[in-house]
Amino acid sequence: MHKSLFLCLSTVALYACVYAALPPPCDSEIFCTGPILHQVQTAKLFDDDKYFVDMKLRETPDVVLSAFRNLSNESPNNTVPPAKLQEFLSNYFEKPGTEFESWTPPDWHTEPKFLGGIADQQLRNWAAQIHNLWKSLGRKIRTGVKDHPELYSQIYTPHPVVVPGGRFRELYYWDSYWVINGLLLSEMTDTAHGMIQNFLYLVNRYGFIPNGGRIYYERRSQPPFLTLMVDSYYRATMDKEFLRGALPTLEQEYRFWMQNRSVAVTLNGAQHVLNRYHVQVGSPRPESYTDDLELAEGLTEDRKEQLWMELKAGAESGWDFTSRWYVDRDGQNNGTLGDTRTSQILPTDLNALLCLTEKTLASFHRILGDGDSAAQYDQAAARRLEAIESLLWDAERGAWFDFNLVTHSKHFEFYPSNLAPVWAQCYSGPQMGEKAVQYLKSSGALQFPNGVPTSLRESGQQWDYPNAWPPLQHMFIEGLSKLPSEDAKQLAFDLAQRWIKTNWLAYMKYEAMFEKYDVNGDGKPGGGGEYEVQLGFGWTNGVALQLLDQYGATLTSGGSRVLSGLLLPLVISATVMLQ
Ligand SMILES: *[C@@H]1O[C@H](CO)[C@@H](O)[C@H](O)[C@H]1NC(C)=O
Ligand SMILES: *[C@@H]1O[C@H](CO)[C@@H](O)[C@H](O)[C@H]1NC(C)=O
Ligand SMILES: *[C@@H]1O[C@H](CO)[C@@H](O)[C@H](O)[C@H]1NC(C)=O
Ligand SMILES: *[C@@H]1O[C@H](CO)[C@@H](O)[C@H](O)[C@H]1NC(C)=O
């Protein structure tokens, strides 16, 4: 066990933290630390740093390490030249992807019912093609991974999964929420069940859910959507026994977030507890090793470790990376990637999600007849609501904003997460939701043809302008659609139409679904960040299917058809009136 000595006197004294002997991302001396990782990654043998850490060993780690020591010993300065490194890799490693066997979900079938509710013929055909894509994204881990985990970076899970796609070859945590919602619409209940069982297995093994299914992700998590996955599954199946079996594990994950990712803040004499992303793990991320190394160049050792921790916390937030996590020297929400200080921020969306989690855990206990436990979670949700309204709600601006733990002030930039409490229905007065709609209208975020951007700042990072992301569109639209006013509901439909149009246009052009899109252009994939835009794509497909289900009667495939879609009901009612 690695010793972690991490002294923070209090949240106010975050600057006074001492970084010493932080644990590495995982204990593997090949995939997470050590000279092989360092030399292979810095030699830049592959376009993407994730390639090497996804390779499989042909020999045991001891043999591979010994062979590399021998090779280093005979190299000048112990630095193995690139050609020799290549040779070493082909002798001792297999290319990524060998740990999976092809697997077609047995519960896939043509013509799930929801397709029948999509009025536009072109959109209905397209939805059938998206439904078809589940077959190409299904993966089953070979039993070899279970029998010889030391040869793989892949984490074994007992059931097959639907993966995002592209470089994301393995399961991912928060992506799976939208994948599972899509699978349930596709009537692939067994596949959804297996994916949830995998997550329960991971909680039992690690005490929380790793970011994704690789050992280099095993010391950080991602936005905690497991309870909501179980909620979706329960609503689709009404399977109480499943709920009863899962609940203790859901509570274990909830305890992890409360024990390991919470902060007490005193404001105006009252103490509140809210959550943040926080990963006390050192070293560069193995899968983005050279990016992290280069970004930290010139810093002191302590500052390097601090930056690498904060980058991992950014990865844990799911928003990797974004100007949202920048905190510059003046404590302003400004700067560059090197100013990433994720753990200094109490995020609106994480706290809204945990509020909804608490309410959902209360409802599960009520369903199973345990009123006392239900009351405890209701109290936790009530305490969080009070904290959210004290620290994050801004009455003047009419929305919720991230809270900076160092300056004790809010960050007022626009992010879709500023409306996360609307999605979670975690606010106390009905007027707050409507105020948030007014805030939104004056924010400048609604002026783009293809959806709501991740911020209004073009930082070059992928979770910023001009990119729009499926999970954020979905939460945003769902939140607005739940508000009582017609105005908010119309806005929700409008945004659904914009999103479907851009997904559809890009599909027509590229015959592919992308992980993210540009808010401008005619069906343009997103860009920026550490890697090329990826195809597949799990959560994009899930969100498209959900919107096509929810608004299937009125959505159109775009262009002038949007107009005809809006005019058609008028024409019909005019015709009816004339008769
Ligand atoms: C490394 O060198 C030692 C000493 O020459 C030798 O015994 C060992 O087998 C070598 N390891 C490998 C993996 O070739
Ligand atoms: C070995 O390292 C020294 C000092 O870091 C450097 O000056 C020299 O160029 C290196 N030699 C080779 C062959 O890389
Ligand atoms: C969470 O924190 C507790 C107490 O500080 C620690 O013992 C435990 O190992 C942590 N759990 C995880 C999964 O990191
Ligand atoms: C934000 O930071 C950039 C450089 O990182 C600087 O040029 C700019 O003036 C800053 N803006 C504000 C409002 O501080």
Side-chain angles (χ1 to χ4, degrees), residues 450 452-454 458 460-470 473 499 502-503 506-507 509-510 512-535 537 539-540:
N450 300 338
V452 179
T454 315
E458 191 161 9
Q461 297 306 323
Q462 54 169 356
W463 291 80
D464 267 312
Y465 181 87
N467 287 339
W469 289 86
Q473 304 303 307
W499 187 246
T502 189
N503 280 215
Y507 192 83
K509 264 193 239 173
Y510 303 99
M513 301 293 284
F514 295 89
E515 59 171 341
K516 59 186 179 256
Y517 294 86
D518 194 311
V519 291
N520 301 303
D522 291 325
K524 190 175 168 199
E530 299 180 321
Y531 56 83
E532 294 301 312
V533 65
Q534 301 293 304
L535 317 182
F537 195 93
W539 64 14
T540 311

Side-chain angles (χ1 to χ4, degrees), residues 357-552:
T357 299
E358 285 153 349
K359 292 193 292 181
T360 307
L361 290 172
S363 81
F364 288 170
H365 278 297
R366 256 191 304 278
I367 289 165
L368 298 173
D370 182 351
D372 291 347
S373 298
Q376 280 177 22
Y377 283 103
D378 280 333
Q379 282 159 18
R383 281 194 300 272
R384 186 180 302 273
L385 185 60
E386 208 179 300
I388 287 177
E389 297 196 344
S390 303
L391 298 175
L392 311 182
W393 170 251
D394 189 86
E396 190 189 324
R397 288 172 179 81
W400 298 263
F401 298 91
D402 294 339
F403 184 85
N404 183 320
L405 288 165
V406 174
T407 59
H408 269 212
S409 61
K410 300 182 188 82
H411 289 172
F412 290 122
E413 295 256 338
F414 172 82
Y415 308 109
S417 50
N418 294 356
L419 270 77
V422 173
W423 164 75
Q425 297 193 286
C426 193
Y427 53 93
S428 57
Q431 78 292 350
M432 289 167 110
E434 293 305 326
K435 273 181 117 172
V437 175
Q438 295 317 311
Y439 158 79
L440 180 60
K441 287 182 171 174
S442 59
S443 68
L446 294 179
Q447 59 183 308
F448 306 99
N450 300 338
V452 179
T454 315
S455 76
L456 298 178
R457 198 186 282 223
E458 191 161 9
S459 69
Q461 297 306 323
Q462 54 169 356
W463 291 80
D464 267 312
Y465 181 87
N467 287 339
W469 289 86
L472 304 187
Q473 304 303 307
H474 176 252
M475 287 193 274
F476 211 81
I477 292 166
E478 188 168 85
L480 290 170
S481 76
K482 283 187 199 153
L483 285 173
S485 76
E486 274 314 308
D487 191 28
K489 288 188 203 304
Q490 181 58 40
L491 190 52
F493 170 72
D494 236 48
L495 291 172
Q497 177 65 71
R498 291 186 214 182
W499 187 246
I500 287 299
K501 191 185 82 178
T502 189
N503 280 215
W504 153 264
L505 288 176
Y507 192 83
M508 288 298 107
K509 264 193 239 173
Y510 303 99
E511 255 184 80
M513 301 293 284
F514 295 89
E515 59 171 341
K516 59 186 179 256
Y517 294 86
D518 194 311
V519 291
N520 301 303
D522 291 325
K524 190 175 168 199
E530 299 180 321
Y531 56 83
E532 294 301 312
V533 65
Q534 301 293 304
L535 317 182
F537 195 93
W539 64 14
T540 311
N541 306 353
V543 168
L545 293 186
Q546 274 183 279
L547 294 177
L548 287 165
D549 177 54
Q550 190 178 348
Y551 294 111

Side-chain angles (χ1 to χ4, degrees), residues 328 330 332 334-336 339 457:
D328 68 14
D330 304 325
Q332 299 301 305
N334 187 32
T336 62
D339 296 308
R457 198 186 282 223

Side-chain angles (χ1 to χ4, degrees), residues 75-79:
S75 305
N77 280 359
N78 290 336
T79 304

